[in-house]
Amino acid sequence: MGHKGKRDLLDELTPAQREAVTHFEGPLLILAGPGSGKTRVITRRVAWLLQQGVRPNNILAITFTNKAAGEMRQRVEQLVPGCRVWVSTFHSFGARLLRQYADRLELDRNFTIYDQNDRARIVKMALEDAGIDNARFSPESIAGAISKAKNQLLGPDRFAERAGDFYEKTVAGIYPLYEKRLRDSNALDFDDLLYWPALALKNDSELRAELDDRFRFVLIDEYQDTNKAQYAIARGLSVDCPNLCVVGDPDQSIYKFRGSDIRNILDFERDFPNARVLTLNTNYRSTRAILSTASHLIAHNKQRKPMHLVTDNDAGTPVTVLTYYSSMDEAEGIARRIRAEVEAGKRSYRDFAVFLRINALSRSLETAFVQQRVPHQIVRGLAFFERKENRDVLAYLRLLVNPRDDLSFLRVVNEPARGIGKVSLDHLRSYAEPREMSLLSAAGEVAKIPAIKGKAASSLRGFHQLIADMRSLLESPPDEVVRQVLDLSGYRDMLRRGDDTEDQERLANVEDLITAAKQFAAEDSSRTIGDFLENVTLASDLDSWDERQDCVSIMTLHAAKGLEFPVVYMAAVEQGLLPHERSIARNDELEEERRLAFVGMTRAKGELYLTHARSREFRGQTIYPVESMFFRELPEEAIEHIDLSSGGRGPDAFEDWRGGGGAAAEQGWHDAGVRPRPAPIPPRAPAENESVAYAVGTLVRHPSYGTGRVVDVSGQGVLKRVKIRFSTAGERTFIADKVKLEIIRKQ
């Protein structure tokens, strides 16, 4: 038969996992705690269903990232070679469904999928259509409001009915104009990939019954992160054949900002009264110390299904709280500790991860890691595809697949420069819009537009012909299409001839696109350039992460979901950052922040470090944060506290204090059994210049910022602060006894 026997499939499974795998028909809720082997359960369940004679095309498995879907597909393939089960993300599933049933939904199957940047540009155009000043309403915030509406399955009319305040009424005015712009360009945005299928399942009973019959067994991973549209899709596919198996953990629901609703998993038994509920609470990942600490924290939440996590793993080392004097000390301290561990031969760089609440905190870490020569990667999604040159090439490709894509037309009609100015493009638009033509079609009729003449007219005609010629490439392998577009458009030549040193780097980037397309096509020879574009658009943050590289991974807590590392540092665990300042006043949002911390902590296998600083450079100013309220919710007996902030030391404190001995000096705390709680005020030796009485109005010179004037003096003793307004750097606040200032003129 060529695949694992029945016995093999159930080998190495616990009784609870075996029950989950061998449940046949009827709704099933699997509550799977962190590190409880849920991927193994889902993949074995798919293989087991195939063994029972279920046909591969009757099974649909949905997960949340392309990376997870790829891994799941691979693991099922290993268990049952040659089976082609549909494993994808919700968005990829929606896109494929919409292309497949495009005619029934009155869509053109060659639609372009617009990403967030494109969406903001379309909103900007819609604002101009409505004659609204976008200085008051940012395109990004209106795009966010429309996105939220679609996730709630509210179209323009229903949204307008519910619009209450002035802002919502403004959004209600823009929403239909935005939708018209999308339709005219034969484009869908991200949210449409869920919104359209959800509405189709709701409103077209024939289509719903057909899909329900086709997907007889539906498995959904990370169910706690589904939003209203995803929930509607799951329910719509499970009416006649209610064989819906959902896997998730309410304690790991962390995407409320994207519209996810924790009630979808909490109310599963209400939706399916005869549902079977199984709990996977054995953690195979973390030490007992880490698990106990994380469990104590999450127990403070009310919105949850209580789960007692257990593990057979060792107790391990205590969870350690590290207190630093400043955010630079914190970044340097983390970098040095990691380097010391690797140089001592104890670990590899890839064993370490640093988690942050927001991306903006990564700058000081990047600086410190570079200075300390610690190899690292910032997991920040689509940086490669976001580069200008790559977006240009992708726009050419999008225009080939979908000639109505006006956004892509505007991006590349003058890349490389063809002498087509803004005035000519305005005339082109004035001709196209009343005729409901695309800009590319209008360019083909430029002879009928007397206002466009000379070079601009011949260039537009030439561009129209270029795209028409290149469309004959669409059936070629994706990498060949990219290669030809680079050559025929003149884009490669433009970069080759460029005298800017960065042009050579840009050339390397666009040529890397050929490699990316080639690798994508190598996985499945039937893949087209359209499939490649869809894959690029639907990629997530994690898809850019390369776990094989021997370097430290730096990422947000949201991106860390589903991963694991031997050693985890959670940085900046401070009130206002974790929990985030926006969530502190609202219980439900505070609970989400606690879940986010829980997710971060349970990624750690062997060691977990929670760090915070007494002062932090953030958004152009120095702030003095207090430690996170979450520290008070941790079990004191499982925590070690190491205070590295005292003794009047600045950035070199770590090096001075440990005397070059690395972790040995810190070990002194452990050996002595001392667990000092961080003091609210770090004891510091008086500095030489502490006696200087800075008065408001004093003119001073700073070594980095130049000349400035004292505008405020506050605090006493070691916490005395002086605020200075510099002519070049604006206002900066310093601790008086730490800053080196030359007094030019006293007030």
Side-chain angles (χ1 to χ4, degrees):
M1 231 174 129
H3 55 63
K4 282 193 169 225
K6 282 186 188 181
R7 179 87 192 273
D8 294 345
L9 269 185
L10 304 180
D11 280 355
E12 307 151 25
L13 296 181
T14 63
Q17 289 176 332
R18 195 171 293 140
E19 260 190 277
V21 167
T22 57
H23 169 88
F24 192 44
E25 292 181 319
L28 172 66
L29 167 62
I30 303 173
L31 293 169
S36 61
K38 69 184 172 71
T39 310
R40 166 187 278 199
V41 167
I42 296 169
T43 50
R44 300 264 177 129
R45 175 164 169 72
V46 169
W48 186 84
L49 287 170
L50 292 167
Q51 251 182 19
Q52 307 313 300
V54 178
R55 298 212 306 273
N57 62 339
N58 288 148
I59 300 173
L60 170 67
I62 291 181
T63 185
F64 264 73
T65 66
N66 287 338
K67 205 175 189 70
E71 282 167 13
M72 203 177 281
R73 215 175 287 119
Q74 231 174 346
R75 284 167 76 163
V76 171
E77 172 71 24
Q78 282 166 359
L79 293 169
V80 190
C83 86
R84 293 183 72 85
V85 171
W86 192 342
V87 183
S88 84
T89 64
F90 261 113
H91 287 89
S92 297
F93 171 70
R96 195 162 147 192
L97 218 56
L98 294 176
R99 293 201 198 279
Q100 212 167 329
Y101 292 94
D103 299 344
R104 272 173 83 159
L105 301 169
E106 296 178 6
L107 279 172
D108 175 337
R109 73 181 66 252
N110 291 321
F111 59 78
T112 301
I113 302 167
Y114 279 169
D115 63 18
Q116 279 181 311
N117 290 334
D118 300 324
R119 193 170 69 178
R121 284 173 67 196
I122 293 282
V123 169
K124 198 169 178 216
M125 290 175 177
L127 283 164
E128 286 162 13
D129 294 344
I132 291 174
D133 175 14
N134 69 2
R136 288 188 62 194
F137 301 97
S138 85
E140 288 75 15
S141 73
I142 289 185
I146 292 172
S147 168
K148 208 169 179 181
K150 287 187 179 182
N151 284 327
Q152 293 296 318
L153 299 182
L154 297 174
D157 295 342
R158 285 189 59 211
F159 183 82
E161 286 166 19
R162 296 180 176 206
D165 57 24
F166 178 67
Y167 177 72
E168 284 180 354
K169 285 182 173 144
T170 305
V171 174
I174 302 296
Y175 193 173
L177 300 173
Y178 168 81
E179 287 294 287
K180 183 179 186 314
R181 283 262 177 195
L182 283 180
R183 292 300 81 77
D184 290 349
S185 290
N186 184 31
L188 298 179
D189 64 24
F190 250 33
D191 303 301
D192 286 330
L193 303 181
L194 304 175
Y195 174 72
W196 279 68
L199 288 184
L201 286 166
K202 191 175 168 190
N203 301 328
D204 185 338
S205 55
E206 202 179 304
L207 177 64
R208 195 213 59 70
E210 190 182 316
L211 290 170
D212 195 341
D213 185 55
R214 179 176 167 190
F215 302 115
R216 290 173 164 260
F217 289 86
V218 178
L219 296 91
I220 298 178
D221 190 15
E222 307 286 8
Y223 191 68
Q224 76 280 350
D225 288 325
T226 49
N227 61 27
K228 189 168 182 176
Q230 289 160 332
Y231 170 79
I233 292 168
R235 289 294 312 260
L237 295 174
S238 314
V239 178
D240 310 318
C241 305
N243 305 321
L244 175 63
C245 165
V246 303
V247 185
D249 178 6
D251 289 340
Q252 296 183 68
S253 174
I254 58 171
Y255 289 109
K256 188 166 183 275
F257 69 97
R258 284 189 199 160
S260 73
D261 189 344
I262 193 172
R263 288 172 308 184
N264 293 350
I265 192 165
L266 294 175
D267 294 346
F268 187 81
E269 294 135 283
R270 187 199 65 194
D271 294 338
F272 296 95
N274 60 337
R276 186 168 179 195
V277 182
L278 297 171
T279 302
L280 305 179
N281 64 337
T282 303
N283 177 292
Y284 300 97
R285 177 186 299 149
S286 306
T287 62
R288 285 208 301 279
I290 292 168
L291 211 56
S292 156
T293 304
S295 296
H296 261 78
L297 177 71
I298 202 65
H300 287 79
N301 273 10
K302 302 274 188 291
Q303 273 198 308
R304 63 190 297 255
K305 285 180 180 279
M307 186 188 295
H308 177 58
L309 294 173
V310 296
T311 185
D312 294 331
N313 293 340
D314 295 340
T317 56
V319 172
T320 306
V321 174
L322 299 172
T323 304
Y324 289 95
Y325 182 73
S326 72
S327 49
M328 278 313 296
D329 294 354
E330 176 188 50
E332 278 187 31
I334 292 171
R336 288 177 197 235
R337 291 171 63 96
I338 291 173
R339 200 183 72 198
E341 288 279 287
V342 175
E343 286 176 353
K346 294 178 183 173
R347 295 198 181 274
S348 304
Y349 284 115
R350 73 161 68 85
D351 292 340
F352 295 88
V354 184
F355 300 156
L356 308 165
R357 173 63 181 83
I358 51 174
N359 264 323
L361 292 166
S362 67
R363 193 182 55 78
S364 55
L365 278 165
E366 287 181 75
T367 306
F369 278 52
V370 169
Q371 284 171 349
Q372 299 295 326
R373 301 183 306 286
V374 173
H376 59 285
Q377 59 178 330
I378 307 282
V379 181
R380 197 175 287 151
L382 316 172
F384 173 68
F385 295 111
E386 294 293 344
R387 295 175 191 276
K388 181 204 173 291
E389 58 274 19
N390 287 344
R391 284 187 79 89
D392 287 347
V393 178
L394 292 171
Y396 267 110
L397 298 170
R398 279 157 50 154
L399 198 54
L400 296 193
V401 174
N402 172 19
R404 284 165 52 196
D405 184 352
D406 285 352
L407 217 52
S408 294
F409 173 91
L410 289 169
R411 184 171 188 105
V412 295
V413 70
N414 221 17
E415 287 282 356
R418 297 183 173 94
I420 303 165
K422 183 183 181 303
V423 175
S424 297
L425 289 173
D426 286 344
H427 288 310
L428 189 72
R429 201 182 272 123
S430 301
Y431 178 82
E433 283 185 355
R435 292 168 178 79
E436 298 201 333
M437 296 171 76
S438 70
L439 293 177
L440 184 64
S441 298
E445 297 186 7
V446 72
K448 298 179 183 175
I449 313 173
I452 305 176
K453 22 185 176 318
K455 184 164 172 41
S458 60
S459 292
L460 281 167
R461 197 178 301 110
F463 184 75
H464 177 267
Q465 192 57 48
L466 170 72
I467 300 298
D469 293 345
M470 291 199 300
R471 290 202 77 215
S472 63
L473 298 168
L474 284 173
E475 299 308 310
S476 306
D479 54 303
E480 187 55 28
V481 182
V482 180
R483 190 178 286 109
Q484 293 282 357
V485 164
L486 281 172
D487 287 337
L488 297 172
S489 66
Y491 204 92
R492 195 201 298 252
D493 210 36
M494 170 188 78
L495 293 177
R496 263 202 198 115
R497 289 198 318 267
D499 46 16
D500 185 341
T501 51
E502 285 185 17
D503 282 337
Q504 295 320 300
E505 192 185 328
R506 292 187 187 111
L507 182 60
N509 285 331
V510 295
E511 287 176 338
D512 253 0
L513 266 183
I514 302 173
T515 310
K518 193 169 189 171
Q519 287 170 348
F520 176 74
E523 293 170 28
D524 180 347
S525 59
S526 68
R527 287 175 169 177
T528 64
I529 193 66
D531 297 328
F532 174 66
L533 288 172
E534 186 170 298
N535 187 64
V536 168
T537 314
L538 296 181
S540 69
D541 279 5
L542 265 188
D543 297 331
S544 69
W545 177 59
D546 183 358
E547 66 267 50
R548 293 162 306 188
Q549 276 190 48
D550 189 24
C551 61
V552 180
S553 296
I554 301 173
M555 63 183 78
T556 64
L557 286 159
H558 283 99
K561 180 84 168 292
L563 305 179
E564 58 180 33
F565 298 89
V567 185
V568 164
Y569 282 86
M570 281 170 59
V573 185
E574 293 153 8
Q575 203 68 357
L577 284 171
L578 185 68
H580 195 281
E581 60 190 352
R582 284 196 307 264
S583 66
I584 292 170
R586 292 194 47 183
N587 255 346
D588 59 333
E589 292 187 8
L590 186 60
E591 291 208 353
E592 175 125 344
E593 293 291 303
R594 200 177 275 114
R595 291 195 290 269
L596 197 51
F598 175 77
V599 163
M601 293 163 84
T602 53
R603 302 309 95 200
K605 292 162 78 171
E607 296 173 38
L608 173 63
Y609 298 91
L610 309 173
T611 73
H612 69 111
R614 298 198 185 285
S615 71
R616 183 170 298 283
E617 293 293 327
F618 189 59
R619 293 183 177 150
Q621 56 184 3
T622 304
I623 58 171
Y624 298 89
V626 296
E627 63 174 47
S628 171
M629 62 183 284
F630 293 157
F631 284 136
R632 296 195 295 276
E633 299 174 355
L634 304 179
E636 189 59 39
E637 66 282 358
I639 305 291
E640 290 276 7
H641 293 280
I642 300 178
D643 191 335
L644 303 169
S645 72
S646 56
R649 308 182 204 280
D652 299 320
F654 189 81
E655 187 76 344
D656 296 345
W657 181 66
R658 63 179 195 168
E666 285 186 25
Q667 191 60 42
W669 289 113
H670 300 252
D671 295 344
V674 179
R675 292 182 189 154
R677 291 292 293 182
I681 298 172
R684 294 168 59 77
E688 292 169 2
N689 61 348
E690 191 182 356
S691 57
V692 176
Y694 296 109
V696 173
T698 303
L699 208 57
V700 295
R701 184 177 289 116
H702 185 276
S704 303
Y705 300 126
T707 307
R709 192 177 294 278
V710 176
V711 291
D712 187 40
V713 180
S714 60
Q716 297 293 323
V718 292
L719 281 189
K720 186 172 187 178
R721 297 201 287 268
V722 54
K723 186 188 281 187
I724 300 163
R725 184 178 294 126
F726 295 98
S727 50
T728 55
E731 287 187 356
R732 290 282 190 275
T733 302
F734 305 94
I735 290 182
D737 71 350
K738 197 178 178 194
V739 66
K740 290 194 171 85
L741 294 172
E742 178 193 340
I743 293 181
I744 300 171
R745 190 171 67 244
K746 287 191 178 181
Q747 174 61 17

